[in-house]
Amino acid sequence: MRAEQVKELLKKDSSVQLLEQMYGKGKAEENAARYVLVAEGFSRTFGDREFEFFTSPGRTEIGGNHTDHNQGKILAGSVQMDCVAAAAANGTEKIRMISETYKQDLVIDLNHLEPGSQTTGTLPLMKGVLAGLKNRGFEIHGFDAYVTSNVIGGSGVSSSASFEMLVCSIADYLFNHYTRDVVSYAKAGQYAENKYWLKGSGLLDQMACAVGGIITIDFANTEEPEMRKVDCNFDDLNLDLVIVNTGKGHADLSAEYSSIPNEMKSVANYFGKEVLAEVEEADVIANVKDIREKCGDRAVLRAFHFFEESSRVDDQVAALESGDKERFLQEITASGNSSWKWLQNCYLNETPQEQSISCTLALTELFLKKIKGGACRVHGGGFAGVIAAFIPKEHTEEYCQYINKALGEGSAFVMHIRKQGAIHLEF
């Protein structure tokens, strides 16, 4: 399509219905404006020519906090916050991408995708994704793209994975006839973070962004993770998922994140295994004295968190699919307590005076105690960023006002689970 077609196209009833399905009731107009923005930006920057729309969501982690990298289980969902792009092949071996959100103009030569000295930011991440796709047999050539994103950056709803999966969907549609699988997408994103950002991440973020809806994944087989969609609607449980930005970003915490899988794996290595999924919890308990001496106490605690949290995912899925709200909230609370006490990813030991996650959890627990319902937990990587709160719908507005007063206006975001993952979008 061309830019001049977009405004009228987005006014069609079918387009409005699609946008409301993706972004939530009453949200069609504001998100239509984002598609107009990238369409006009593409035309202005790259010339008045045909382009395609692409979108890739952020994600929420519902269960399985820091289990994917040791081949455990997770429960996650895609959300309405997303990256949106207008893109088209350009007939060269260079990619040019304009990020309206971050005011960046990136040019990448596909013949030079080797890692550089820069290990943060969009440029190395994009190079890493492209290299990861090439390594997995993707055909890739040059394209132009104009991108906008409203996924909260550096805060735990995976702005990075959303962007990674956007790049994958563009490359797949333009040059591979849209035939590649989402596991290949996810592994290219993981490769970028592991090799170009030097961040020891797993596959949770990428899979949740790529697939769409609420999903549970068992990563026992990393080449072919066992994934299925969970038939659940939080509306049916009379719950709103509220993500709270605590005001402290986590963009500079790669070393802290990497310490978690590394310490878990050190316990697995004690038994001659690579990851904790290959170890029995009972064997860790039986050898705990020696493991504490060799691996350290925090590694042991993080191992216990892995076993219990991975097992907890099955209980959460069962509760959601049976509509057992109380059981589900109990499991969310247990997950949060385990992350706080055993995984220890709510604040940094080096800076105990800075505890944005802990303070926000405490504020939320005090609110929940007053209304006698709901649950909360650290969300995503932790240490900084966001928390997740499940709030009874009749108290959502009150909670958002409460938390915005405490942390600053615009801190609370009511989430909408969207069915679409990283896709080429046709109106």
Side-chain angles (χ1 to χ4, degrees):
M1 70 182 68
R2 292 179 183 270
E4 65 268 17
Q5 301 172 286
V6 172
K7 287 184 179 180
E8 289 304 313
L9 184 62
L10 291 173
K11 292 179 182 177
K12 292 171 55 179
D13 288 345
S14 58
S15 299
V16 172
Q17 290 172 8
L18 176 58
L19 290 171
E20 289 207 339
Q21 183 191 75
M22 292 175 63
Y23 298 106
K25 189 171 179 59
K27 301 295 183 181
E29 185 175 352
E30 66 183 76
N31 283 284
R34 298 172 63 225
Y35 285 88
V36 172
L37 182 149
V38 297
E40 292 179 345
F42 182 94
S43 180
R44 182 173 61 251
T45 307
F46 303 115
D48 183 20
R49 56 193 178 94
E50 296 282 335
F51 60 81
E52 303 290 338
F53 280 131
F54 299 87
T55 169
S56 176
R59 68 98 180 99
T60 180
E61 173 199 275
I62 303 166
N65 189 219
H66 278 287
T67 56
D68 57 325
H69 42 58
N70 269 258
Q71 296 177 216
K73 298 177 181 179
I74 66 96
L75 176 64
S78 59
V79 297
Q80 80 277 14
M81 295 177 178
D82 66 347
C83 290
V84 172
N90 60 23
T92 75
E93 292 303 303
K94 289 187 177 181
I95 293 170
R96 185 175 179 190
M97 179 176 285
I98 304 294
S99 170
E100 179 271 339
T101 308
Y102 297 106
K103 310 305 178 188
Q104 293 176 318
D105 184 346
L106 304 176
V107 179
I108 295 176
D109 188 335
L110 288 168
N111 296 310
H112 297 285
L113 296 178
E114 59 279 353
S117 58
Q118 183 181 347
T119 56
T120 60
T122 307
L123 181 62
L125 188 67
M126 187 170 177
K127 288 175 65 177
V129 171
L130 295 166
L133 291 174
K134 277 195 165 186
N135 291 346
R136 300 191 72 81
F138 274 62
E139 185 81 12
I140 302 177
H141 301 287
F143 62 84
D144 299 324
Y146 196 96
V147 181
T148 189
S149 174
N150 62 7
V151 186
I152 313 167
S155 61
V157 285
S158 293
S159 58
S160 55
S162 175
F163 175 75
E164 294 159 18
M165 298 305 95
L166 181 79
V167 173
C168 291
S169 63
I170 292 172
D172 190 8
Y173 182 85
L174 294 181
F175 307 114
N176 296 271
H177 309 292
Y178 226 27
T179 58
R180 307 310 293 258
D181 62 276
V182 293
V183 175
S184 293
Y185 285 23
K187 284 187 168 291
Q190 182 189 36
Y191 178 83
E193 295 195 15
N194 291 173
K195 302 299 183 182
Y196 287 68
W197 267 9
L198 307 182
K199 178 180 176 182
S201 59
L203 288 169
L204 182 160
D205 297 351
Q206 290 81 5
M207 290 288 285
C209 293
V211 177
I214 296 178
I215 59 172
T216 183
I217 307 173
D218 185 342
F219 288 104
N221 181 346
T222 55
E223 287 304 312
E224 294 184 19
E226 184 181 331
M227 177 193 70
R228 73 177 179 89
K229 295 217 173 191
V230 177
D231 185 13
C232 166
N233 187 331
F234 291 139
D235 290 342
D236 294 339
L237 298 180
N238 193 42
L239 292 172
D240 278 325
L241 169 59
V242 182
I243 296 297
V244 180
N245 188 346
T246 68
K248 173 73 174 173
H250 65 203
D252 57 347
L253 297 176
S254 291
E256 294 294 338
Y257 298 134
S258 296
S259 74
I260 294 176
N262 291 342
E263 289 181 13
M264 289 181 178
K265 289 175 182 178
S266 73
V267 176
N269 295 161
Y270 174 89
F271 296 96
K273 305 297 184 180
E274 184 177 349
V275 293
L276 281 176
E278 301 171 330
V279 177
E280 295 295 329
E281 185 177 24
D283 290 334
V284 175
I285 295 172
N287 294 275
V288 70
K289 185 176 184 296
D290 196 34
I291 298 172
R292 288 177 65 191
E293 292 176 357
K294 289 183 168 58
C295 303
D297 285 348
R298 191 171 71 171
V300 171
L301 287 165
R302 285 174 165 175
F304 288 152
H305 167 83
F306 170 85
F307 294 122
E308 296 299 312
E309 182 76 352
S310 192
S311 174
R312 192 176 290 117
V313 166
D314 290 336
D315 294 332
Q316 290 175 323
V317 171
L320 285 175
E321 292 186 326
S322 65
D324 190 340
K325 179 170 73 171
E326 295 308 313
R327 182 183 174 193
F328 172 70
L329 293 175
Q330 288 170 2
E331 296 297 341
I332 292 293
T333 299
S335 173
N337 288 339
S338 180
S339 292
W340 202 333
K341 294 190 298 186
W342 293 359
L343 185 63
Q344 299 181 21
N345 69 331
C346 287
Y347 66 94
L348 301 173
N349 290 332
E350 294 82 359
T351 55
Q353 71 279 9
E354 295 182 9
Q355 296 197 36
S356 60
I357 291 286
S358 304
C359 280
T360 308
L361 288 171
L363 285 164
T364 301
E365 287 178 3
L366 290 169
F367 179 89
L368 296 177
K369 181 180 179 181
K370 182 180 68 172
I371 67 169
K372 301 185 187 307
C376 66
R377 47 155 286 186
V378 63
H379 185 278
F383 300 111
V386 303
I387 73 159
F390 289 87
I391 307 294
K393 284 183 175 293
E394 62 269 23
H395 294 290
T396 299
E397 184 177 354
E398 180 188 0
Y399 174 71
C400 290
Q401 291 175 352
Y402 166 85
I403 213 72
N404 285 335
K405 181 179 179 181
L407 302 183
E409 199 61 38
S411 297
F413 299 85
V414 181
M415 290 290 137
H416 168 76
I417 300 295
R418 80 177 215 179
K419 296 180 179 180
Q420 297 85 356
I423 58 169
H424 165 249
L425 190 62
E426 293 187 20
F427 289 104

